[in-house]
Amino acid sequence: MKLYNSETRQIEEIVPHSKDVLTLYTCGPTVYHYAHIGNLRSYIMEDVLEKSLRFVGFNVKRAMNITDVGHLSSDGDTGEDKMLLGAEREHKTVLEIAKKFTDAFKTDCERLNLKWPEIVVPATACVDEYIKIIEKLMATGYAYKSGGNVYFDTSKLKEYYRFGNQGKDDLIVGAREGVDEDLEKRNKNDFVLWFTKSKFENHALKWESPWGTGYPGWHIECSGISMKYLGEHLDIHCGGVDNKFPHHTNEIAQSESFLGHKWCGHWFHVEHLNTKSGKMSKSSGEFLTLSRLEEMGYFPMIYKYFCLSSHYRKILVFSTEALDSAKSAYEKIVRRINEIKEDGNISKEQASPYLEQFKAALENDLNTSLALTALYDVLKSELNGATKCYAIGEMDKVLGLDLLTAQVVQEAGNDLNDEFRAFIEQKIEERKTAKASKDYALADKIREELKARGVELVDTKDGTTYKIV
Ligand code: AMP
Ligand code: ZN
C-alpha cells in the first residue's frame, strides 16, 4: 500500500514498525458542537483508509481521542475553551455538552457506516499520562514554567516545522484570527502543555498537578493517548489538513522529545471540504450537518458517495449541484444492482480481476474514485449475477455504501421503499416526542420537513398517519 506522506511530501510504501500490527491514530472531534459535513469528510476518508489497509491484509489497531478539554478557540493557545463556549451556548454543563455531542458524532458515524475505532478515549480520561510526559519534558529541559503555565520550548529542537513551511507565520500576532500575544512565552512557537493560568478562572474541569491545579493543553492529549494505547512507534497518524500546524507539528515536538526517537512513520492528511465562500468550520456559525443534508433530500450514503468520488488530497467544493450529480450517480448504481438477478454460482476466480483492479486503486494513494470505476466495471461485465453480487459485496466492505441493501427512494407514489418508509416512521416518532415535551416548534418543523419531501402528516385520534401528495 502506497500513501502520500505529508512529512516527506512523497508517496511512500507503508511499512509498519511491527510485523504483527499496524497502528493508526485519528484526531477525534472537539465535542462542543455537531460535526459538520467537512469534519465528516475527514472521518469518511480515514475510515476508508482503515478498511483499505485491512482489505490489503494489514492487522490494524486504531485509536481515536475525543477532545473534551483544552482546545481553545484559537489554535495559538489563546481565547476561551471551546467546551466552555459550547456549555454557555446551550446552558448546560461541560460534561453534558461532551456527552451530547459525542453521542451525536457516534450516530453520524453509524449513519455513514463508519467503523467506531476499537479504542476511543476522551481526553479527560488520561490526565495522569499527560502529567507523566510533561514531568519528563521539564526534567530534560524541553519545558519551562512561566506565569503559572507550563510551555514547550521549541528553541530546543533541531527542526520544529515538519510539514514544510506551513504555518511559519501563522502564530504572529494579527496573522491569524484570535492570536493574542502571550508575553509568558520565550519563543513565538512555544505552546502550552499545562494551563494553570488563563483568562477564565471558572474552568469546570481542573486537576492537581506538580505545577498547580489546572488542565492540559490540546496537543498533549493526542501524544498521550496515542503513546498509551499504540506504543512508542506509531505507523500512521490521520487528520484534516488544518491539523498540520500547529497541532500535529506540536504533537511531534513533544512526543519525540519525550521518547528520544522518531515517533510517527506516516502522516495522512485529508484536504478540506469548502463551501463556495471558503472552508467550512464549526466556529463560523452557519455549517451543514448530516441531518440538515437529509432534510434537503440527500441521504448519508449520497454524501459519502460524493466524498468517495473525489481524491482525499484534493479540495472538495460543496454545492447542491455537485450533490445532485452524486445523488443521480449513486441511485443509478443502486438501480443497476437491484436489477441483478442472483443467478448461477459464485466464481471467485472470475471476480478476482475486478477485485484486483479495486485493490490496486486503493493501494495507489487511496484512489477511491478509481476504485469506484472497478465497481462500474463489475456492473458492465458479463459475470453471472451471483458473482457480480459477491464482487460488489467485497468492495462494499471498504466503501460502506450499502450497495447490496439500498433501494432508490421514489419521489412519490405508494411503492415507497423500506428505507424511506422507515425514515417517515422515525420522523413521526420524533414529532410525537417533541409534542409530548411541548416542543411545538420542533413538531412543526418536522411536519414541514416531510411536506417538502411530498409526505403529508394526518393526525387522527389513534395517532399520526401519512399520505403522499
Ligand atoms: P475538530 O472537531 O474541529 O477538532 O475537527 C475534527 C476533524 O475535522 C479534524 O481532523 C479536522 O482537521 C477536520 N476538519 C475540520 N474542518 C474541516 C473541513 N472543512 N473539511 C475537512 N475536514 C475538516
Ligand atoms: Zn490530535
Side-chain angles (χ1 to χ4, degrees):
M1 176 104 181
K2 288 196 170 104
L3 283 177
Y4 181 81
N5 182 353
S6 327
E7 189 181 351
T8 58
R9 288 170 296 287
Q10 279 173 9
I11 294 186
E12 292 170 356
E13 189 73 41
I14 297 296
V15 185
H17 189 264
S18 144
K19 64 177 177 17
D20 304 321
V21 70
L22 182 151
T23 52
L24 181 65
Y25 184 82
T26 302
C27 286
T30 309
V31 282
Y32 74 112
H33 218 318
Y34 293 106
H36 57 64
I37 58 171
N39 301 129
L40 294 172
R41 178 190 189 195
S42 286
Y43 295 111
I44 287 171
M45 300 319 292
E46 290 161 4
D47 176 75
V48 171
L49 170 65
E50 175 184 354
K51 288 173 179 162
S52 300
L53 289 163
R54 290 184 195 279
F55 191 80
V56 305
F58 288 109
N59 173 26
V60 182
K61 186 173 179 194
R62 180 174 177 198
M64 178 175 82
N65 67 307
I66 299 282
T67 299
D68 55 358
V69 68
H71 194 176
L72 304 197
S73 54
S74 147
D75 286 348
D77 288 336
T78 56
E80 271 209 82
D81 188 301
K82 292 189 177 192
M83 294 302 296
L84 265 186
L85 289 176
E88 277 163 18
R89 188 188 65 236
E90 305 228 348
H91 308 292
K92 288 196 160 81
T93 67
V94 169
L95 287 177
E96 284 166 346
I97 286 293
K99 173 152 183 11
K100 172 174 173 179
F101 292 114
T102 304
D103 289 349
F105 176 64
K106 205 167 179 184
T107 305
D108 283 347
C109 290
E110 279 162 11
R111 287 151 93 202
L112 286 163
N113 291 333
L114 309 186
K115 178 178 165 291
W116 195 241
E118 53 270 44
I119 303 162
V120 178
V121 189
T124 46
C126 288
V127 175
D128 289 350
E129 203 63 29
Y130 320 140
I131 292 179
K132 194 180 84 188
I133 299 170
I134 301 168
E135 276 181 319
K136 182 163 171 194
L137 293 175
M138 284 291 272
T140 48
Y142 282 104
Y144 61 91
K145 198 172 166 191
S146 176
N149 290 341
V150 179
Y151 293 87
F152 185 93
D153 186 349
T154 53
S155 71
K156 294 284 188 296
L157 301 171
K158 277 203 208 79
E159 191 190 4
Y160 171 63
Y161 295 104
R162 297 292 273 271
F163 302 105
N165 282 339
Q166 163 127 24
K168 231 173 184 156
D169 299 323
D170 271 5
L171 294 185
I172 293 174
V173 175
R176 199 169 167 145
E177 200 192 336
V179 177
D180 300 334
E181 194 171 6
D182 181 347
L183 298 171
E184 303 298 342
K185 288 182 184 182
R186 289 184 193 158
N187 313 288
K188 95 174 152 54
N189 283 316
D190 291 358
F191 55 93
V192 177
L193 295 163
W194 187 266
F195 289 97
T196 63
K197 201 166 159 255
S198 68
K199 283 193 207 156
F200 50 101
E201 293 305 325
N202 61 341
H203 198 280
L205 301 164
K206 287 184 179 177
W207 292 262
E208 295 301 317
S209 86
W211 316 284
T213 309
Y215 59 99
W218 171 38
H219 317 296
I220 194 75
E221 68 180 73
C222 289
S223 294
I225 292 172
S226 168
M227 288 194 266
K228 177 169 178 188
Y229 291 95
L230 302 176
E232 287 191 5
H233 294 276
L234 177 61
D235 293 317
I236 306 177
H237 194 311
C238 313
V241 280
D242 58 314
N243 282 164
K244 281 188 195 171
F245 185 85
H247 186 48
H248 291 164
T249 305
N250 292 348
E251 278 187 43
I252 299 176
Q254 66 207 0
S255 301
E256 296 194 349
S257 305
F258 172 75
L259 292 167
H261 60 69
K262 189 161 173 69
W263 168 53
C264 175
H266 200 101
W267 289 86
F268 175 90
H269 286 114
V270 181
E271 250 303 345
H272 278 152
L273 175 84
N274 284 355
T275 59
K276 281 180 184 150
S277 51
K279 183 195 152 195
M280 189 172 285
S281 77
K282 285 188 204 176
S283 49
S284 71
E286 227 356 66
F287 62 71
L288 283 169
T289 58
L290 207 57
S291 305
R292 179 74 193 107
L293 275 195
E294 217 164 338
E295 286 165 19
M296 291 159 69
Y298 306 107
F299 280 114
M301 287 304 111
I302 291 164
Y303 180 63
K304 188 169 185 184
Y305 182 88
F306 171 63
C307 292
L308 295 182
S309 37
S310 153
H311 195 257
Y312 75 93
R313 282 200 287 128
K314 287 206 181 108
I315 289 176
L316 186 58
V317 181
F318 176 86
S319 68
T320 46
E321 295 79 22
L323 221 56
D324 283 337
S325 317
K327 184 175 180 189
S328 62
Y330 177 73
E331 292 187 345
K332 197 165 146 204
I333 295 175
V334 169
R335 249 185 230 112
R336 293 200 45 189
I337 295 173
N338 287 178
E339 281 160 17
I340 300 175
K341 296 191 182 50
E342 271 205 54
D343 57 351
N345 294 320
I346 294 173
S347 164
K348 290 194 179 175
E349 201 185 332
Q350 286 180 8
S352 164
Y354 296 93
L355 292 174
E356 282 303 315
Q357 181 191 344
F358 180 75
K359 185 165 158 247
L362 299 173
E363 282 174 337
N364 180 15
D365 196 19
L366 204 70
N367 195 332
T368 46
S369 60
L370 213 57
L372 288 170
T373 308
L375 170 67
Y376 279 112
D377 287 349
V378 169
L379 290 172
K380 280 190 292 189
S381 74
E382 298 293 322
L383 297 172
N384 68 26
T387 307
K388 275 187 185 170
C389 289
Y390 162 73
I392 294 167
E394 288 300 295
M395 291 178 182
D396 211 34
K397 285 183 185 163
V398 174
L399 303 172
L401 284 170
D402 285 346
L403 292 173
L404 293 176
T405 51
Q407 302 279 324
V408 175
V409 173
Q410 305 291 322
E411 293 305 328
N414 291 329
D415 51 345
L416 295 181
N417 70 47
D418 292 346
E419 190 182 357
F420 195 44
R421 209 178 278 285
F423 170 74
I424 299 171
E425 299 292 346
Q426 183 201 329
K427 289 287 162 192
I428 290 178
E429 270 312 300
E430 283 173 20
R431 181 165 168 266
K432 199 170 146 193
T433 314
K435 279 168 83 175
S437 55
K438 299 202 170 14
D439 189 349
Y440 299 112
L442 178 61
D444 286 347
K445 190 168 161 252
I446 294 170
R447 174 191 279 282
E448 288 308 310
E449 198 186 299
L450 287 172
K451 199 165 173 200
R453 300 189 64 179
V455 181
E456 191 174 305
L457 296 184
V458 184
D459 292 319
T460 70
K461 64 176 175 30
D462 299 323
T464 303
T465 60
Y466 58 91
K467 60 182 182 193
I468 303 299
V469 289

